[in-house]
Amino acid sequence: MDDIKYLAHINDRKEEQLLKDHLERTAQRSGTFAGAFGMYDWGYGCGLLHDIGKYSLAFQERLKGSEKKVDHSTAGAKLCWEKGGMYTLLSYCIVGHHAGLPDTGGEGDTEKTLCSRFTKRIEDYQAFSKEIEIPALSEPTFVPVPDENIDFFFSVLIRMLYSCLVDADYLDTEEFMNGGGAKRQGGEELAVLWGQFNGYVSKWLGNQETDTINGRRTEILKNCMKMGTEEKGLFRLTVPTGGGKTVASLGFALAHGKKHKMSRVIYVIPYTSIIEQTAQIFRDILGEENVLENHCNIDYEGDEELKPMQLAAENWDKPVIVTTNVQFFESMFSNRSSKCRKLHNIANSVIIFDEAQMLPNAYLKPCVAAIEQLVRYYQCTAVLCTATQPALKKFLSEDMKGKELCPGMEEQFRFFRRVTMKDLGEISEEELAEKLRRNRQALCIVNTKKKAQCIYRKICGGKISREGVYHLSTAMYPVHRRSVLKQIRDRLADGQECIVISTSLVEAGVDLDFPVVYRQLAGVDSIIQAAGRCNREGKETAEDSFTYIFRFDERESVPGQRQQIQVAESMLQDAPDLNAPETVEKYFEILYHLRGDSLDSKDILGMSRNMNFQFARAGESFRIIEENTKTILVPREKEAVEVLDEIRQKGFSKNRMRTMGQYCVNVYDNMFQRLYAAGLLRPISGEGEEQYFVLTKEDQYSDEMGLELDVEYGQAVML
């Protein structure tokens, strides 16, 4: 049997890849990836041992056509587990390199845990020892700091090593199967991009004015660029609304990346609406090929021209990544190979958390813990970037203090003060509508979609529409919202009458400038963001520009916002300046105190106690957007009708779903039940796709308000 040629793969051209070659090449790649955080030996060991189960005769027969299924992942994991010590950490990576990181489990497990895998019979793989030598593991280059959650420390380390292994395995297999690999294009180094950035902003840097908005923006930008030479660590960029934080933060990131020879810049943003415009700004500055936009609304698959971008999205192999809180943190806590594959490329990166106050409250503690791990052990620099800085100090270690990048922060906030806030107290819907009618141009932001539709109707006096009055909310599909926003911007630019009733979707990333804003009581950060749509360009004095805060005389339930509203209401009475950084800090301190254990609502940090890791459970539990909504396609426009026909004829695909999403409205379950009971919805055909529905009654959706939400149970429609 000594003359057996052990193979890893056979491709479509019948070419054979020697198993020894695959293991050594994967080991070298995995080791190089892990070397970014000083763990080359560990990454190398994962790669060298991950497929030794393929040394069984049964697996070799399967490669040649046998239908017998063969477990090739348990062998290397079992060998490491039995070897003990730090090798046990490699066991998780190896056993899960296809199926995902498992929970540790225990004796007698029948579930798919690590321990249960070791009780199963596996094929004899001992022939590996003739070609492969078990590598030694050097001492770790970093160890947990005193008083640290050591279990969480090791859970992150395992995920990072797992990422190195699965990406290396994918890349080597892809290269062999494709006869040389796909055309991946990694983009330029940050030092090159720093030069491009300097060329782009050079026209601004000579501005020495301190009494103009552009002069202050330049002052902030220059300080961020200068601070790029600081040592790696945690930073804060607390910039008032309108202070130019997007370009300033990029300036810091590129200067810092050049100084420390870092690999990439990762922008983590809460809203896809902001992502799209931020990514476009970066593409304009740095070039299309250097910026990867990675979120649920973009799909590079199926477009040959974008094939390199599709490949880069798999493992974030670009110098500038623009992504969402959902993508970033769900990947950090996932156990799936497809999501974890990118994690090792976070190491040695500058990570900008834009609108940092939007870190998910239900997972705030694990998210902050993950940020600290990346900064402390994985050569990262993190920047918390916002006008309303959250009070995270109590969730960070004593030595993890964020340096401020904004020069003279308090004075900048005084300079950028462009509005006067007034508390109107309680008013009725009719009173609010009357106040809005008296304005030529005004923005009113309320807390719910249903209330936005209600106030819109009252302003229109019961009519379907009124010239110059607009409604905006997620009851409208994205293409429709963009169309209405363009009309609003055009009317504002022409000085025409323009009254807008909106939900909070206009508070961040939507560049609007109104002379007056009305904001229903919400969290302090939301109120400040709303005020940022008032006198945005500073054309009027702060004393002549008002943001009015109000409550309706009939209180309404706002899901997930009760505590924010309560704290903000108390602060309105006590704080002389709601916009001041110290007021914002106090607001978050009180809010986080009230939330207590709910800041880790699923006990994610507890899923790695006593080295009994629950990777699968954590991956299943960590969901920033809970799946309690249904998606409704509105087939009013030609493209929406066409994609619906394609889905019915050919089924769902990523590309079709992305197109469909531009014409869809998401509703919570209680509203879905009303619409469905009224006979207004029909499931879209397609096996396993019952969560997607199509609106069947055209007049349930209007140009003015989108999907009509005033539907009662028992309301039936005859079709």
Side-chain angles (χ1 to χ4, degrees):
M1 304 295 284
D2 290 343
D3 59 346
I4 291 178
K5 183 168 59 172
Y6 290 97
L7 304 178
H9 304 104
I10 300 173
N11 64 23
D12 292 340
R13 297 177 301 281
K14 305 302 180 186
E15 295 168 338
E16 299 174 341
Q17 184 185 37
L18 293 175
L19 180 51
K20 181 175 185 287
D21 289 348
H22 172 61
L23 293 177
E24 288 178 346
R25 288 161 59 98
T26 301
Q28 288 162 4
R29 264 200 173 105
S30 181
T32 300
F33 293 155
F37 47 93
M39 302 287 279
Y40 178 90
D41 293 353
W42 298 56
Y44 186 92
C46 280
L48 196 64
L49 301 176
H50 80 287
D51 268 357
I52 60 173
K54 291 184 177 181
Y55 276 99
S56 70
L57 295 177
F59 184 86
Q60 294 301 309
E61 288 301 316
R62 180 164 176 78
L63 271 181
K64 295 169 185 174
S66 167
E67 294 184 2
K68 180 182 177 183
K69 291 184 178 180
V70 182
D71 173 1
H72 72 273
S73 302
T74 301
K78 190 172 184 181
L79 182 149
C80 288
W81 191 262
E82 290 171 347
K83 194 165 178 61
M86 289 301 180
Y87 283 90
T88 60
L89 302 185
L90 308 191
S91 298
Y92 294 91
C93 306
I94 293 169
V95 83
H97 74 270
H98 289 303
L101 286 170
D103 296 342
T104 305
E107 258 185 75
D109 276 350
T110 55
E111 300 297 320
K112 295 178 180 178
T113 64
L114 182 66
C115 290
S116 72
R117 291 284 288 270
F118 296 154
T119 63
K120 294 180 178 178
R121 179 188 171 277
I122 56 175
E123 300 287 342
D124 180 8
Y125 62 94
Q126 293 305 315
F128 89 91
S129 61
K130 296 175 183 176
E131 294 188 347
I132 300 298
E133 186 176 336
I134 300 172
L137 297 183
S138 59
E139 286 296 313
T141 54
F142 53 77
V143 293
V145 297
D147 302 322
E148 181 166 10
N149 180 339
I150 192 169
D151 299 302
F152 185 66
F153 166 88
F154 280 114
S155 74
V156 176
L157 176 57
I158 291 169
R159 284 191 180 94
M160 293 297 274
L161 291 170
Y162 178 63
S163 170
C164 296
L165 169 59
V166 295
D167 194 28
D169 187 26
Y170 272 119
L171 289 171
D172 186 68
T173 302
E174 173 189 281
E175 191 170 293
F176 171 73
M177 291 299 188
N178 293 339
K183 295 180 180 178
R184 293 179 175 269
Q185 298 170 3
E188 296 170 295
E189 293 184 354
L190 295 190
V192 176
L193 300 187
W194 167 245
Q196 290 176 218
F197 179 83
N198 266 286
Y200 184 86
V201 301
S202 59
K203 57 186 177 292
W204 303 334
L205 298 180
N207 191 335
Q208 302 291 329
E209 299 166 353
T210 58
D211 58 348
T212 66
I213 287 178
N214 283 336
R216 291 301 183 110
R217 287 170 178 162
T218 300
E219 181 184 19
I220 294 167
L221 168 62
K222 287 196 286 192
N223 196 67
C224 285
M225 293 166 71
K226 178 184 173 184
M227 292 283 284
T229 59
E230 293 282 323
E231 291 305 308
K232 292 182 180 182
L234 180 66
F235 293 83
R236 294 159 34 122
L237 179 55
T238 314
V239 174
T241 303
K245 65 181 172 63
T246 300
V247 175
S249 58
L250 181 61
F252 168 80
L254 292 175
H256 197 67
K258 175 179 179 290
K259 165 73 175 177
H260 298 289
K261 296 181 171 59
M262 299 176 80
S263 303
R264 57 189 47 80
V265 175
I266 303 173
Y267 265 76
V268 185
I269 301 177
Y271 308 107
T272 53
S273 59
I274 310 177
I275 283 188
E276 289 161 0
Q277 66 183 37
T278 300
Q280 189 56 52
I281 291 169
F282 294 167
R283 282 192 285 264
D284 291 343
I285 299 172
L286 305 174
E288 190 92 24
E289 71 281 4
N290 292 311
V291 180
L292 175 71
E293 190 179 343
N294 187 221
H295 55 87
C296 63
N297 285 349
I298 191 159
D299 173 31
Y300 298 114
E301 189 172 345
D303 190 330
E304 199 57 42
E305 185 180 328
L306 293 175
K307 182 72 172 174
M309 283 296 187
Q310 178 197 340
L311 295 169
E314 296 169 353
N315 62 355
W316 283 5
D317 189 15
K318 283 286 178 183
V320 178
I321 310 294
V322 188
T323 191
T324 57
N325 282 342
V326 172
Q327 281 273 353
F328 187 88
F329 288 111
E330 288 192 0
S331 295
M332 282 295 302
F333 290 95
S334 178
N335 73 315
R336 309 303 301 177
S337 60
S338 56
K339 282 195 169 185
C340 289
R341 182 178 173 183
K342 63 178 78 78
L343 292 184
H344 72 89
N345 273 333
I346 296 175
N348 198 35
S349 296
V350 186
I351 314 168
I352 311 290
F353 294 96
D354 194 24
E355 303 296 349
Q357 79 282 359
M358 295 299 295
L359 292 174
N361 279 333
Y363 303 99
L364 187 66
K365 288 180 179 178
C367 286
V368 173
I371 293 170
E372 179 165 335
Q373 289 284 309
L374 291 171
V375 170
R376 190 180 294 283
Y377 302 114
Y378 297 94
Q379 303 298 314
C380 291
T381 282
V383 183
L384 304 171
C385 184
T386 177
T388 52
Q389 198 68 240
L392 301 180
K393 188 163 60 175
K394 66 181 288 188
F395 308 117
L396 292 161
S397 300
E398 286 252 346
D399 64 333
M400 192 66 60
K401 295 175 181 175
K403 298 177 185 175
E404 181 57 57
L405 297 175
C406 181
M409 181 186 69
E410 292 181 358
E411 203 279 320
Q412 299 289 4
F413 272 82
R414 284 192 291 271
F415 175 84
F416 275 94
R417 178 178 169 267
R418 285 163 294 176
V419 304
T420 299
M421 292 193 190
K422 285 192 173 182
D423 185 6
L424 296 180
E426 289 189 356
I427 60 174
S428 67
E429 293 175 353
E430 290 76 10
E431 287 173 314
L432 175 63
E434 183 55 36
K435 287 180 181 294
L436 290 168
R437 286 192 205 102
R438 292 182 200 146
N439 291 277
R440 182 168 177 76
Q441 294 183 340
L443 169 66
C444 176
I445 302 174
V446 294
N447 289 335
T448 65
K449 290 183 281 190
K450 198 165 185 179
K451 187 64 76 175
Q453 292 187 349
C454 178
I455 300 302
Y456 174 83
R457 287 194 199 94
K458 288 193 180 295
I459 293 175
C460 294
K463 298 177 183 176
I464 295 175
S465 64
R466 177 182 152 188
E467 177 71 17
V469 180
Y470 295 91
H471 162 277
L472 275 173
S473 81
T474 52
M476 304 154 75
Y477 52 80
V479 168
H480 186 188
R481 288 203 304 271
R482 287 196 290 271
S483 172
V484 173
L485 270 168
K486 184 181 184 307
Q487 294 175 53
I488 290 168
R489 288 193 176 101
D490 289 345
R491 290 188 75 93
L492 289 173
D494 294 342
Q496 295 178 282
E497 180 183 6
C498 188
I499 310 296
V500 177
I501 316 302
S502 178
T503 57
S504 62
L505 68 87
V506 298
E507 286 180 350
V510 180
D511 196 2
L512 297 173
D513 188 0
F514 286 86
V516 61
V517 169
Y518 290 79
R519 183 48 164 111
Q520 184 181 2
L521 183 65
V524 167
D525 53 325
S526 293
I527 294 170
I528 292 171
Q529 290 279 12
R533 313 306 115 188
C534 180
N535 192 28
R536 187 171 180 82
E537 295 303 319
K539 295 174 183 175
E540 304 294 334
T541 66
E543 290 70 28
D544 294 325
S545 306
F546 295 100
T547 293
Y548 296 102
I549 304 158
F550 65 90
R551 309 150 194 70
F552 288 114
D553 51 7
E554 292 182 8
R555 298 295 174 99
E556 62 180 333
S557 173
V558 185
Q561 295 291 310
R562 181 177 58 85
Q563 287 176 320
Q564 287 96 316
I565 291 170
Q566 286 177 346
V567 177
E569 189 162 28
S570 69
M571 299 205 73
L572 274 175
Q573 301 165 10
D574 302 334
D577 182 5
L578 209 60
N579 198 47
E582 59 268 23
T583 303
V584 174
E585 184 174 19
K586 184 179 178 184
Y587 162 76
F588 280 113
E589 284 175 351
I590 296 170
L591 180 64
Y592 295 157
H593 175 74
L594 290 175
R595 286 188 174 272
D597 291 341
S598 71
L599 296 173
D600 184 6
S601 61
K602 303 284 184 67
D603 192 28
I604 300 296
L605 292 175
M607 292 184 187
S608 52
R609 289 192 180 102
N610 303 317
M611 300 294 280
N612 191 321
F613 302 109
Q614 298 180 56
F615 291 115
R617 186 177 160 215
E620 183 64 32
S621 300
F622 195 103
R623 291 285 183 272
I624 291 177
I625 299 175
E626 300 290 351
E627 296 176 1
N628 59 347
T629 61
K630 295 288 193 297
T631 300
I632 300 170
L633 173 64
V634 182
R636 299 172 78 240
E637 301 192 33
K638 182 182 177 183
E639 190 175 28
V641 174
E642 288 174 350
V643 75
L644 177 60
D645 288 343
E646 281 187 27
I647 289 169
R648 284 174 169 162
Q649 292 170 22
K650 302 176 184 177
F652 286 86
S653 71
K654 284 186 177 181
N655 205 37
R656 290 184 200 113
M657 288 181 71
R658 183 189 171 206
T659 302
M660 184 182 83
Q662 296 300 304
Y663 301 93
C664 284
V665 174
N666 291 320
V667 297
Y668 286 105
D669 191 60
N670 59 347
M671 177 52 60
F672 166 77
Q673 296 298 340
R674 287 186 171 91
L675 292 165
Y676 194 78
L680 299 170
L681 305 176
R682 182 179 296 142
I684 297 176
S685 60
E687 187 178 349
E689 304 293 349
E690 64 277 357
Q691 68 268 41
Y692 300 108
F693 295 81
V694 60
L695 187 68
T696 57
K697 192 167 185 285
E698 190 173 327
D699 61 5
Q700 194 64 29
Y701 192 102
S702 69
D703 284 336
E704 293 74 29
M705 290 188 295
L707 183 65
E708 173 60 62
L709 300 176
D710 193 11
V711 180
E712 301 299 330
Y713 279 116
Q715 177 183 329
V717 177
M718 301 301 292
L719 298 175

